[in-house]
Amino acid sequence: MSSAQLDALEKKEELECDPVRQKLGTPLRPGARILSFDLCGSDTVVLGLSSHQAKAANLTTRECTAAAAKHGGPVTAVAVLNESYTVNGSRIALSASWDKIVKVWPVDDPQNTLAVLTGHSDFVKCVAVHPTLPIVYTGSADKSIMFWRLPESLETLAQSTTPQEIAPFKTVKGQHTGQIYAMCLDPVSAQVLYSTGSDASVRAWDSQTGVAIATKGDESSDWYIARGQHKTNIFDCKATENTLWTASADNTAIGWDIETRTTDIVLEHSTTVTAVLPIPQVGVVVTGVRDGALYVWRVNSGVPKIIREINAHTDDVSCLRVAGRVFYSSGLDGTLRKWDIQSVVNFVGGFEYMPAELQALKDQDTSSKQGSDTLAKSSKSANQSALTEEEERELAELMSDLDDM
């Protein structure tokens, strides 16, 4: 292990023991790395975990349910169907895994697998759901995107004694030359599904048919963003009305003009950008990076600039999502954290976000450490200056010899 890696490990361990960091963002700790999450109403979150499980948790109590949807590998992605699709009053979640399958299950009863989506030949890396229709989209390490249609009434699935196996109604393969890492739907009409991944390109599909979207003004040409501006893996994408945001291992997050496919904004970082979250109502974009930090960028006036840093996590930021007045971040440090948008954006205490009550705790901890260090130094100095009886006798004899000279 290199000295830089040892320094990074030492810093990580120090941060994990920091009492302020243990409270920042009121963390929810499920006991495993969080690879993905999706919000389910105002008080529930569904978590995809490295422990081969997907679990629901209460955002108020910050406690996970005991039951879990179990997979044969890490759960890399989760999603929740819209509230019109329920079984016995429970919302419906989907979990995708390295075991190449996607499970469909009630949030209130994770062990009750209603259906299994099978067809991928390698890890399922991402999953998305249509906001109004029972259509599911999955992206895989096998370089394909699959489109799935669930029954209009999911109650029929609940009546079966065994999970229903569902095949995709559309498979797209060949356009992407690498693994599919992320997908998102346009937020206005949900008619377009965007996909991206390790080939550093972005492509667009009709969300109901899977047919490639044509370039506006040139029906003979597919809409796509070629590798070039991004040099390597794109890990995340999110769309607003006119802009598509991407986060990449090339240390940038980019805002693309959807119509022209040109770069509107480039946000430069010093390390891999693992997640991106536009919050257009306040004119900011949040980015999450490999060392666990969150950056809040002002993008609606002049040159984009970082207005806030949040030292949120001690490992990679894995996912960012927004709900109303708050946004959430998850990390490979095994925590999900909650942030009030206005409090973060309007914070007046400096560049690094630190709520007043935690700043007081930080100051107290710093003062305590300084006091301990001073005491240790004083003790060390006293020990160094103290002479044994034999040393004092030798010193006296030396002084006597000097007097006789």
Side-chain angles (χ1 to χ4, degrees):
M1 186 176 288
S2 68
S3 60
Q5 289 173 318
L6 286 171
D7 290 342
L9 182 60
E10 184 177 341
K11 180 181 178 183
K12 178 182 176 183
E13 290 174 346
E14 180 182 338
L15 291 173
E16 287 174 343
C17 296
D18 182 356
V20 174
R21 185 63 57 87
Q22 292 175 5
K23 296 178 181 293
L24 188 62
T26 56
L28 184 159
R29 293 184 170 87
R33 292 184 171 191
I34 303 174
L35 306 183
S36 178
F37 72 91
D38 198 10
L39 301 168
C40 179
S42 60
D43 60 356
T44 303
V45 63
V46 174
L47 306 169
L49 305 174
S50 62
S51 57
H52 303 193
Q53 298 177 323
K55 285 188 172 185
N58 186 293
L59 289 168
T60 302
T61 64
R62 304 198 298 280
E63 293 181 353
C64 289
T65 57
K70 297 181 180 181
H71 281 267
V75 177
T76 45
V78 292
V80 179
L81 292 178
N82 83 63
E83 58 190 11
S84 65
Y85 295 99
T86 61
V87 168
N88 298 325
S90 172
R91 297 281 296 274
I92 303 300
L94 299 99
S95 52
S97 169
W98 283 15
D99 61 13
K100 309 173 189 177
I101 65 172
V102 178
K103 289 188 175 183
V104 182
W105 44 275
V107 173
D108 294 343
D109 186 10
Q111 293 178 323
N112 179 18
T113 303
L114 302 173
V116 177
L117 312 185
T118 59
H120 284 295
S121 60
D122 208 335
F123 303 159
V124 184
K125 307 288 282 188
C126 54
V127 61
V129 295
H130 195 280
T132 59
L133 301 172
I135 299 178
V136 177
Y137 316 94
T138 55
S140 170
D142 65 13
K143 307 176 186 178
S144 75
I145 301 166
M146 292 188 178
F147 293 63
W148 317 75
R149 185 173 284 108
L150 301 179
E152 286 291 338
S153 174
L154 298 182
E155 295 289 349
T156 58
L157 297 178
Q159 295 169 6
S160 175
T161 58
T162 57
Q164 180 176 332
E165 197 165 306
I166 298 176
F169 71 82
K170 176 73 175 183
T171 298
V172 174
K173 192 167 185 177
Q175 286 82 352
H176 279 291
T177 59
Q179 300 182 43
I180 314 300
Y181 287 153
M183 299 180 296
C184 66
L185 288 144
D186 82 88
V188 179
S189 65
Q191 292 181 352
V192 180
L193 175 76
Y194 298 99
S195 61
T196 188
S198 64
D199 65 1
S201 72
V202 184
R203 296 187 176 269
W205 318 93
D206 184 292
S207 64
Q208 295 189 44
T209 66
V211 174
I213 297 294
T215 302
K216 189 173 182 179
D218 183 4
E219 298 301 316
S220 64
S221 174
D222 292 345
W223 187 104
Y224 77 98
I225 296 171
R227 181 190 185 107
Q229 183 64 50
H230 277 309
K231 306 298 189 298
T232 185
N233 302 344
I234 300 175
F235 291 122
D236 194 16
C237 63
K238 301 281 188 352
T240 62
E241 183 175 357
N242 299 308
T243 306
L244 178 70
W245 287 92
T246 51
S248 173
D250 64 12
N251 300 359
T252 67
I254 295 179
W256 305 85
D257 181 292
I258 290 177
E259 183 173 339
T260 64
R261 295 172 292 164
T262 56
T263 56
D264 268 355
I265 302 171
V266 179
L267 307 179
E268 299 279 356
H269 298 70
S270 61
T271 188
T272 293
V273 187
T274 54
V276 64
L277 178 68
I279 310 178
Q281 62 265 36
V282 291
V284 302
V285 170
V286 181
T287 54
V289 299
R290 176 133 290 172
D291 65 10
L294 302 177
Y295 296 101
V296 181
W297 299 76
R298 176 74 69 188
V299 297
N300 65 344
S301 58
V303 178
K305 66 176 182 178
I306 301 175
I307 61 170
R308 202 75 61 235
E309 177 186 36
I310 309 175
N311 288 308
H313 299 275
T314 59
D315 210 331
D316 297 15
V317 176
S318 57
C319 190
L320 293 169
R321 296 196 185 276
V322 65
R325 298 180 179 180
V326 300
F327 72 93
Y328 296 84
S329 63
S330 66
L332 299 188
D333 61 356
T335 66
L336 176 83
R337 299 176 189 257
K338 176 181 179 181
W339 315 98
D340 181 88
I341 295 171
Q342 291 295 341
S343 295
V344 171
V345 171
N346 299 326
F347 180 66
V348 295
F351 179 66
E352 180 184 354
Y353 176 69
M354 184 66 63
E357 64 275 14
L358 292 186
Q359 184 62 54
L361 177 62
K362 183 177 182 179
D363 293 342
Q364 180 182 354
D365 184 58
T366 301
S367 177
S368 176
K369 286 181 179 178
Q370 289 174 343
S372 297
D373 291 344
T374 300
L375 182 61
K377 289 178 181 178
S378 176
S379 175
K380 182 178 180 181
S381 176
N383 290 335
Q384 288 174 338
S385 63
L387 299 176
T388 66
E389 185 177 345
E390 184 179 356
E391 288 171 337
E392 287 178 348
R393 186 167 57 251
E394 290 175 353
L395 179 59
E397 290 175 356
L398 177 60
M399 295 301 292
S400 177
D401 290 341
L402 289 173
D403 289 340
D404 291 341
M405 292 180 65

